[in-house]
Coordinates of all heavy atoms in Angstrom, one line a residue:
M1 N -10.1 -14.4 3.6 CA -9.6 -13.0 3.9 C -9.2 -12.3 2.6 O -8.4 -12.8 1.8 CB -8.4 -13.0 4.8 CG -7.9 -11.7 5.2 SD -8.6 -10.9 6.7 CE -8.2 -12.0 8.0
Q2 N -9.9 -11.2 2.4 CA -9.6 -10.4 1.2 C -8.5 -9.3 1.5 O -8.5 -8.8 2.6 CB -10.9 -9.7 0.7 CG -11.9 -10.6 0.2 CD -11.6 -11.2 -1.1 OE1 -11.3 -10.6 -2.1 NE2 -11.6 -12.6 -1.2
H3 N -7.7 -9.0 0.6 CA -6.6 -8.0 0.8 C -6.6 -7.1 -0.4 O -7.1 -7.4 -1.5 CB -5.2 -8.7 0.8 CG -5.1 -9.7 1.9 ND1 -5.6 -11.0 1.8 CD2 -4.5 -9.6 3.1 CE1 -5.3 -11.6 3.0 NE2 -4.7 -10.8 3.8
E4 N -6.1 -6.0 -0.2 CA -5.8 -5.1 -1.3 C -4.5 -4.3 -1.1 O -4.1 -4.1 0.0 CB -7.0 -4.1 -1.6 CG -7.2 -3.1 -0.5 CD -8.2 -2.0 -0.9 OE1 -8.6 -2.0 -2.0 OE2 -8.5 -1.1 -0.1
M5 N -4.0 -3.9 -2.2 CA -2.7 -3.1 -2.1 C -3.1 -1.6 -1.9 O -4.0 -1.1 -2.5 CB -1.8 -3.2 -3.4 CG -1.3 -4.6 -3.5 SD -0.6 -4.9 -5.1 CE 0.7 -3.7 -5.1
R6 N -2.3 -0.9 -1.0 CA -2.6 0.5 -0.9 C -1.2 1.2 -1.0 O -0.2 0.7 -0.5 CB -3.2 0.8 0.5 CG -4.6 0.2 0.7 CD -5.6 0.8 -0.2 NE -5.9 2.2 0.2 CZ -6.7 2.5 1.1 NH1 -7.3 1.7 2.0 NH2 -6.9 3.8 1.4
A7 N -1.3 2.4 -1.5 CA 0.0 3.2 -1.7 C 0.4 4.0 -0.6 O -0.5 4.6 0.1 CB -0.2 4.1 -2.9
E8 N 1.7 4.0 -0.3 CA 2.3 5.0 0.7 C 3.0 6.0 -0.3 O 3.7 5.5 -1.1 CB 3.3 4.4 1.6 CG 4.0 5.4 2.5 CD 5.2 4.8 3.2 OE1 5.4 3.5 3.2 OE2 5.9 5.5 3.8
Y9 N 2.8 7.3 0.0 CA 3.4 8.2 -1.0 C 4.6 8.9 -0.3 O 4.7 8.9 0.9 CB 2.4 9.4 -1.2 CG 1.1 9.0 -1.9 CD1 -0.1 8.7 -1.2 CD2 1.1 8.6 -3.2 CE1 -1.2 8.3 -1.8 CE2 0.0 8.2 -3.9 CZ -1.2 8.0 -3.1 OH -2.3 7.5 -3.8
W10 N 5.4 9.4 -1.2 CA 6.5 10.3 -0.7 C 6.0 11.4 0.0 O 5.0 11.9 -0.5 CB 7.4 10.7 -1.9 CG 8.2 9.5 -2.5 CD1 8.1 8.9 -3.7 CD2 9.4 9.0 -1.9 NE1 9.0 8.0 -3.9 CE2 9.8 8.0 -2.8 CE3 10.2 9.2 -0.8 CZ2 10.9 7.2 -2.6 CZ3 11.3 8.4 -0.5 CH2 11.7 7.5 -1.4
E11 N 6.6 11.8 1.1 CA 6.2 13.0 1.7 C 6.3 14.2 0.8 O 7.3 14.4 0.1 CB 7.2 13.3 2.9 CG 7.1 12.2 4.0 CD 5.7 12.3 4.7 OE1 5.1 13.3 4.9 OE2 5.2 11.1 5.0
T12 N 5.2 14.9 0.6 CA 5.2 16.0 -0.4 C 4.7 17.2 0.3 O 4.0 17.2 1.4 CB 4.1 15.7 -1.5 OG1 2.9 15.3 -0.9 CG2 4.7 14.6 -2.4
D13 N 5.1 18.3 -0.2 CA 4.7 19.6 0.4 C 3.3 19.8 0.0 O 2.8 19.3 -1.0 CB 5.6 20.7 0.0 CG 5.6 20.9 -1.5 OD1 4.7 21.4 -2.1 OD2 6.6 20.5 -2.2
T14 N 2.4 20.4 0.8 CA 1.1 20.4 0.7 C 0.6 21.4 -0.6 O -0.5 21.3 -0.9 CB 0.4 21.0 1.9 OG1 1.1 22.1 2.4 CG2 0.3 19.9 3.0
E15 N 1.6 22.1 -1.0 CA 1.3 23.0 -2.2 C 1.0 22.0 -3.4 O 0.2 22.4 -4.3 CB 2.5 23.8 -2.6 CG 3.1 24.6 -1.4 CD 2.2 25.8 -1.1 OE1 2.0 26.6 -2.0 OE2 1.7 25.8 0.0
Q16 N 1.7 20.9 -3.4 CA 1.6 20.0 -4.6 C 0.2 19.2 -4.6 O -0.2 18.8 -3.4 CB 2.7 19.1 -4.6 CG 3.1 18.5 -6.0 CD 4.2 17.5 -5.8 OE1 4.9 17.5 -4.8 NE2 4.3 16.7 -6.9
S17 N -0.4 19.1 -5.7 CA -1.6 18.4 -5.7 C -1.4 16.9 -6.2 O -0.5 16.7 -6.9 CB -2.7 19.1 -6.6 OG -2.1 19.4 -7.8
P18 N -2.3 16.1 -5.9 CA -2.2 14.7 -6.3 C -2.2 14.6 -7.8 O -2.7 15.5 -8.5 CB -3.4 14.0 -5.7 CG -4.1 15.0 -4.8 CD -3.6 16.3 -5.1
P19 N -1.8 13.5 -8.4 CA -1.2 12.3 -7.7 C 0.3 12.5 -7.3 O 1.0 13.0 -8.1 CB -1.4 11.2 -8.7 CG -1.3 12.0 -10.0 CD -1.9 13.3 -9.8
W20 N 0.5 12.1 -6.0 CA 1.9 12.1 -5.5 C 2.6 10.8 -6.0 O 1.9 9.8 -6.2 CB 1.9 12.1 -4.1 CG 1.3 13.4 -3.5 CD1 1.7 14.6 -3.7 CD2 0.0 13.4 -2.8 NE1 0.8 15.5 -3.1 CE2 -0.3 14.8 -2.5 CE3 -0.9 12.5 -2.4 CZ2 -1.4 15.2 -1.8 CZ3 -2.0 12.8 -1.7 CH2 -2.3 14.2 -1.4
P21 N 3.9 10.8 -6.1 CA 4.6 9.6 -6.5 C 4.5 8.6 -5.4 O 4.5 8.9 -4.2 CB 6.1 10.1 -6.7 CG 6.2 11.4 -6.0 CD 4.8 12.0 -5.9
V22 N 4.3 7.3 -5.8 CA 4.2 6.2 -4.8 C 5.5 5.9 -4.3 O 6.4 5.7 -5.1 CB 3.5 5.0 -5.5 CG1 3.5 3.8 -4.6 CG2 2.1 5.3 -5.9
K23 N 5.7 5.7 -3.0 CA 6.9 5.3 -2.4 C 7.0 3.8 -2.2 O 7.9 3.2 -2.7 CB 7.1 6.0 -1.1 CG 8.4 5.7 -0.3 CD 8.3 6.4 1.0 CE 9.6 6.1 1.8 NZ 9.5 6.7 3.2
T24 N 6.0 3.3 -1.6 CA 5.9 1.8 -1.3 C 4.4 1.4 -1.4 O 3.5 2.1 -1.1 CB 6.4 1.5 0.1 OG1 7.7 2.2 0.2 CG2 6.7 0.1 0.4
W25 N 4.3 0.1 -1.8 CA 3.0 -0.5 -1.8 C 2.9 -1.4 -0.5 O 3.8 -2.1 -0.3 CB 2.7 -1.3 -3.0 CG 2.5 -0.5 -4.3 CD1 3.4 -0.2 -5.2 CD2 1.4 0.1 -4.6 NE1 2.8 0.5 -6.2 CE2 1.6 0.8 -5.8 CE3 0.0 0.2 -4.1 CZ2 0.6 1.6 -6.5 CZ3 -0.9 0.9 -4.7 CH2 -0.7 1.6 -6.0
H26 N 1.8 -1.2 0.2 CA 1.5 -2.0 1.3 C 0.3 -2.9 1.1 O -0.4 -2.6 0.1 CB 1.2 -1.1 2.6 CG 2.4 -0.3 3.0 ND1 3.3 -0.8 4.0 CD2 2.9 0.9 2.6 CE1 4.3 0.2 4.1 NE2 4.0 1.2 3.3
M27 N 0.2 -3.9 1.9 CA -1.0 -4.7 1.8 C -1.9 -4.5 3.0 O -1.5 -4.4 4.1 CB -0.6 -6.2 1.8 CG -1.6 -7.2 1.4 SD -2.2 -6.9 -0.3 CE -0.9 -7.7 -1.3
V28 N -3.2 -4.3 2.7 CA -4.2 -4.0 3.7 C -5.3 -5.1 3.7 O -5.7 -5.5 2.6 CB -4.9 -2.7 3.4 CG1 -5.9 -2.3 4.5 CG2 -3.7 -1.6 3.3
R29 N -5.7 -5.5 4.9 CA -6.8 -6.4 4.9 C -8.1 -5.6 4.6 O -8.2 -4.5 5.1 CB -7.0 -7.1 6.3 CG -5.9 -8.0 6.7 CD -6.1 -8.7 8.0 NE -4.9 -9.4 8.4 CZ -4.1 -9.0 9.3 NH1 -4.3 -7.8 9.9 NH2 -3.0 -9.6 9.7
Q30 N -9.0 -6.2 3.9 CA -10.2 -5.5 3.5 C -10.9 -4.9 4.7 O -11.2 -5.7 5.7 CB -11.1 -6.4 2.6 CG -12.0 -5.5 1.7 CD -12.6 -6.5 0.6 OE1 -13.3 -7.4 1.0 NE2 -12.4 -6.2 -0.6
G31 N -11.3 -3.7 4.6 CA -12.0 -3.0 5.6 C -11.2 -2.4 6.7 O -11.7 -1.7 7.7
E32 N -9.9 -2.6 6.7 CA -9.0 -2.0 7.7 C -8.3 -0.8 7.0 O -8.1 -0.7 5.8 CB -7.9 -3.0 8.1 CG -8.6 -4.1 8.9 CD -7.6 -5.1 9.5 OE1 -6.4 -4.8 9.5 OE2 -8.0 -6.2 10.0
R33 N -7.9 0.1 7.9 CA -7.2 1.3 7.4 C -5.7 1.3 7.5 O -5.0 1.9 6.6 CB -7.7 2.5 8.2 CG -8.8 3.3 7.6 CD -9.0 4.6 8.2 NE -7.7 5.5 8.2 CZ -7.7 6.7 8.7 NH1 -8.7 7.1 9.4 NH2 -6.6 7.3 8.6
A34 N -5.2 0.5 8.4 CA -3.7 0.4 8.5 C -3.2 -0.8 7.7 O -4.0 -1.7 7.6 CB -3.3 0.3 10.0
A35 N -2.0 -0.6 7.2 CA -1.4 -1.7 6.5 C -1.1 -2.9 7.4 O -1.1 -2.7 8.7 CB -0.2 -1.3 5.9
M36 N -0.8 -4.0 6.9 CA -0.6 -5.2 7.8 C 0.7 -5.0 8.6 O 0.8 -5.7 9.6 CB -0.5 -6.4 6.9 CG -1.8 -6.8 6.2 SD -1.7 -8.1 5.0 CE -1.5 -9.5 6.1
C37 N 1.6 -4.2 8.1 CA 2.8 -3.9 8.9 C 2.6 -2.9 10.0 O 3.5 -2.6 10.8 CB 3.9 -3.4 7.9 SG 3.5 -1.9 7.2
G38 N 1.4 -2.3 10.0 CA 1.1 -1.3 11.1 C 1.1 0.1 10.6 O 0.7 0.9 11.4
R39 N 1.6 0.3 9.4 CA 1.7 1.7 8.9 C 0.2 2.3 8.6 O -0.5 1.7 8.0 CB 2.6 1.8 7.7 CG 2.7 3.2 7.2 CD 3.7 3.3 6.1 NE 5.1 3.1 6.7 CZ 5.9 4.1 7.1 NH1 5.4 5.3 7.2 NH2 7.1 3.9 7.6
E40 N 0.0 3.5 9.1 CA -1.2 4.1 8.8 C -1.1 4.8 7.4 O -0.1 5.5 7.1 CB -1.6 5.3 9.8 CG -1.9 4.8 11.1 CD -3.3 4.4 11.3 OE1 -4.1 4.7 10.4 OE2 -3.7 3.7 12.2
L41 N -2.1 4.4 6.6 CA -2.1 5.0 5.2 C -3.1 6.1 5.1 O -4.1 6.1 5.8 CB -2.3 3.9 4.2 CG -1.2 2.8 4.3 CD1 -1.6 1.6 3.4 CD2 0.2 3.3 3.9
R42 N -2.9 7.0 4.1 CA -3.9 8.0 3.9 C -5.2 7.3 3.4 O -5.2 6.4 2.7 CB -3.4 8.9 2.7 CG -2.1 9.6 2.9 CD -1.8 10.4 1.7 NE -2.8 11.3 1.3 CZ -2.9 12.6 1.7 NH1 -2.0 13.1 2.5 NH2 -3.9 13.4 1.4
P43 N -6.4 7.9 3.9 CA -7.6 7.3 3.6 C -7.9 7.3 2.1 O -8.6 6.5 1.5 CB -8.7 8.1 4.3 CG -7.9 9.0 5.2 CD -6.5 9.0 4.9
D44 N -7.2 8.3 1.4 CA -7.5 8.5 0.0 C -6.3 7.8 -0.8 O -6.2 8.1 -2.0 CB -7.6 9.9 -0.4 CG -6.4 10.8 0.0 OD1 -5.5 10.2 0.6 OD2 -6.3 12.0 -0.4
A45 N -5.5 7.0 -0.2 CA -4.4 6.4 -0.9 C -5.0 5.5 -2.0 O -6.0 4.8 -1.9 CB -3.5 5.6 0.0
R46 N -4.2 5.5 -3.1 CA -4.6 4.7 -4.2 C -4.6 3.2 -3.9 O -3.8 2.7 -3.1 CB -3.6 4.9 -5.4 CG -4.0 4.4 -6.7 CD -3.5 5.3 -7.8 NE -2.0 5.3 -7.9 CZ -1.3 4.5 -8.7 NH1 -1.9 3.6 -9.4 NH2 0.0 4.6 -8.7
G47 N -5.5 2.5 -4.3 CA -5.6 1.0 -4.1 C -5.5 0.2 -5.3 O -5.7 0.7 -6.4
L48 N -5.0 -1.0 -5.2 CA -4.8 -1.9 -6.3 C -5.3 -3.3 -5.9 O -5.2 -3.6 -4.7 CB -3.4 -2.0 -6.7 CG -2.8 -1.0 -7.7 CD1 -1.4 -1.3 -8.0 CD2 -3.6 -1.0 -9.0
S49 N -5.6 -4.1 -6.8 CA -5.9 -5.5 -6.4 C -4.6 -6.2 -6.0 O -3.6 -5.9 -6.4 CB -6.4 -6.2 -7.7 OG -6.2 -7.6 -7.6
D50 N -4.9 -7.1 -5.0 CA -3.7 -7.8 -4.5 C -3.0 -8.7 -5.6 O -1.9 -9.2 -5.4 CB -3.9 -8.6 -3.2 CG -5.0 -9.7 -3.5 OD1 -5.6 -9.8 -4.5 OD2 -5.1 -10.5 -2.5
A51 N -3.7 -8.9 -6.7 CA -3.1 -9.6 -7.8 C -2.0 -8.9 -8.5 O -1.1 -9.4 -9.1 CB -4.2 -9.9 -8.9
E52 N -1.8 -7.6 -8.2 CA -0.8 -6.8 -8.7 C 0.5 -6.9 -7.8 O 1.5 -6.2 -8.2 CB -1.2 -5.3 -8.8 CG -2.4 -5.0 -9.7 CD -2.0 -5.5 -11.2 OE1 -1.0 -5.2 -11.7 OE2 -2.9 -6.3 -11.7
W53 N 0.4 -7.6 -6.7 CA 1.6 -7.6 -5.8 C 2.7 -8.2 -6.6 O 2.6 -9.3 -7.2 CB 1.3 -8.5 -4.6 CG 2.2 -8.5 -3.5 CD1 3.1 -9.4 -3.2 CD2 2.4 -7.4 -2.6 NE1 3.9 -9.0 -2.1 CE2 3.5 -7.8 -1.7 CE3 1.8 -6.2 -2.4 CZ2 3.9 -7.0 -0.7 CZ3 2.3 -5.4 -1.3 CH2 3.3 -5.8 -0.4
G54 N 3.9 -7.5 -6.6 CA 5.1 -7.9 -7.3 C 5.1 -7.4 -8.7 O 6.1 -7.7 -9.4
R55 N 4.1 -6.7 -9.2 CA 4.1 -6.4 -10.6 C 4.2 -4.8 -10.8 O 4.2 -4.4 -11.9 CB 2.8 -6.8 -11.2 CG 2.6 -8.3 -11.2 CD 1.4 -8.8 -11.9 NE 1.3 -10.2 -11.9 CZ 0.3 -10.8 -12.3 NH1 -0.8 -10.2 -12.8 NH2 0.2 -12.2 -12.3
T56 N 4.3 -4.1 -9.7 CA 4.4 -2.7 -9.7 C 5.8 -2.2 -9.9 O 6.7 -2.8 -9.5 CB 3.8 -2.0 -8.5 OG1 4.4 -2.5 -7.3 CG2 2.3 -2.3 -8.4
P57 N 6.0 -1.0 -10.6 CA 7.4 -0.6 -10.7 C 7.9 -0.1 -9.3 O 9.1 0.0 -9.2 CB 7.2 0.6 -11.7 CG 5.8 0.9 -11.8 CD 5.1 -0.3 -11.4
E58 N 7.0 0.3 -8.5 CA 7.4 0.8 -7.2 C 7.7 -0.4 -6.2 O 7.1 -1.5 -6.4 CB 6.4 1.8 -6.5 CG 6.1 2.9 -7.4 CD 5.0 2.7 -8.4 OE1 4.4 1.6 -8.4 OE2 4.7 3.6 -9.2
P59 N 8.5 -0.2 -5.3 CA 8.9 -1.3 -4.3 C 7.7 -1.6 -3.4 O 6.7 -0.8 -3.2 CB 10.0 -0.8 -3.5 CG 9.9 0.7 -3.6 CD 9.4 1.0 -4.9
M60 N 7.6 -2.8 -2.8 CA 6.7 -3.3 -2.0 C 7.2 -3.4 -0.5 O 8.4 -3.6 -0.4 CB 6.1 -4.7 -2.4 CG 5.5 -4.6 -3.8 SD 5.6 -6.1 -4.6 CE 7.3 -6.4 -4.6
C61 N 6.3 -3.3 0.4 CA 6.7 -3.4 1.8 C 7.1 -4.9 2.1 O 6.2 -5.7 1.9 CB 5.6 -2.9 2.7 SG 5.8 -3.2 4.4
H62 N 8.3 -5.1 2.6 CA 8.7 -6.5 2.9 C 7.9 -7.1 4.0 O 7.5 -8.3 4.0 CB 10.2 -6.5 3.2 CG 11.0 -6.2 2.0 ND1 11.3 -7.2 1.0 CD2 11.7 -5.1 1.7 CE1 12.0 -6.6 0.1 NE2 12.3 -5.4 0.5
T63 N 7.6 -6.3 5.0 CA 6.8 -6.8 6.2 C 5.4 -7.2 5.7 O 5.0 -8.3 6.0 CB 6.7 -5.7 7.3 OG1 8.0 -5.3 7.6 CG2 6.1 -6.3 8.5
C64 N 4.8 -6.4 5.0 CA 3.5 -6.7 4.4 C 3.5 -7.9 3.6 O 2.6 -8.8 3.7 CB 2.9 -5.5 3.6 SG 2.2 -4.2 4.6
G65 N 4.6 -8.1 2.7 CA 4.6 -9.2 1.8 C 4.7 -10.5 2.6 O 4.1 -11.5 2.3
A66 N 5.5 -10.5 3.7 CA 5.7 -11.7 4.5 C 4.4 -12.1 5.2 O 4.0 -13.3 5.2 CB 6.8 -11.5 5.5
L67 N 3.7 -11.2 5.7 CA 2.5 -11.4 6.4 C 1.4 -11.9 5.4 O 0.6 -12.8 5.7 CB 2.0 -10.2 7.2 CG 2.9 -9.8 8.4 CD1 2.5 -8.4 8.9 CD2 2.8 -10.8 9.4
Y68 N 1.4 -11.2 4.3 CA 0.4 -11.5 3.2 C 0.5 -12.9 2.8 O -0.4 -13.7 2.7 CB 0.6 -10.5 2.1 CG -0.2 -10.8 0.9 CD1 -1.6 -10.8 0.9 CD2 0.4 -11.1 -0.3 CE1 -2.4 -11.2 -0.2 CE2 -0.3 -11.5 -1.5 CZ -1.7 -11.4 -1.4 OH -2.4 -11.7 -2.6
L69 N 1.8 -13.3 2.5 CA 2.0 -14.7 2.0 C 1.6 -15.8 3.0 O 1.3 -16.9 2.6 CB 3.5 -14.8 1.5 CG 3.8 -14.0 0.3 CD1 5.3 -14.1 0.0 CD2 3.0 -14.4 -0.9
R70 N 1.7 -15.4 4.2 CA 1.2 -16.4 5.3 C -0.3 -16.5 5.3 O -0.8 -17.5 5.8 CB 1.7 -15.9 6.7 CG 2.6 -16.9 7.3 CD 3.1 -16.4 8.7 NE 4.2 -15.5 8.6 CZ 4.6 -14.8 9.6 NH1 4.0 -14.8 10.8 NH2 5.6 -14.0 9.4
E71 N -1.0 -15.4 4.9 CA -2.5 -15.5 5.0 C -3.1 -16.1 3.7 O -4.3 -16.4 3.7 CB -3.0 -14.1 5.3 CG -2.7 -13.7 6.8 CD -3.5 -12.5 7.1 OE1 -4.4 -12.0 6.3 OE2 -3.3 -12.0 8.2
V72 N -2.4 -16.0 2.6 CA -2.9 -16.4 1.3 C -2.4 -17.8 1.0 O -1.2 -18.0 1.0 CB -2.5 -15.4 0.3 CG1 -3.0 -15.9 -1.1 CG2 -3.2 -14.0 0.6
P73 N -3.2 -18.7 0.7 CA -2.8 -20.1 0.4 C -1.9 -20.1 -0.9 O -2.1 -19.3 -1.8 CB -4.1 -20.8 0.1 CG -5.2 -19.9 0.3 CD -4.7 -18.5 0.6
Ligands
ZN1 ZN1 3.6 -2.5 4.9

């Protein structure tokens, strides 16, 4: 099972253009749109390799982290 990190952004007013500040990183199974915790993420949300999990300055989703660690040996 392949995973990637996807960004959840702070709610921003639509006047503002990207990039928006990242609020939380979630983990998404490859090919799926919703994060493993069930949160729907923007289709254009920034993605990162799952190797970056734990290395970003922004916080990570605890639910995604727990599920991810269960799926990855
Ligand atoms: Zn999550």
Side-chain angles (χ1 to χ4, degrees):
M1 180 88 67
Q2 295 287 308
H3 301 78
E4 66 169 356
M5 291 170 62
R6 298 290 297 279
E8 175 192 355
Y9 299 103
W10 288 105
E11 295 296 320
T12 50
D13 59 80
T14 46
E15 308 285 301
Q16 206 183 341
S17 51
W20 301 291
V22 173
K23 182 182 180 187
T24 310
W25 287 99
H26 294 269
M27 195 61 81
V28 181
R29 295 188 189 97
Q30 204 166 58
E32 293 186 10
R33 263 195 57 183
M36 293 172 74
C37 63
R39 182 172 287 275
E40 291 279 343
L41 301 172
R42 299 177 57 92
D44 59 353
R46 193 147 66 93
L48 275 182
S49 155
D50 63 348
E52 297 301 312
W53 191 254
R55 297 183 180 174
T56 54
E58 300 87 5
M60 296 152 305
C61 171
H62 289 284
T63 309
C64 281
L67 293 169
Y68 170 65
L69 290 175
R70 236 182 281 168
E71 288 191 6
V72 173

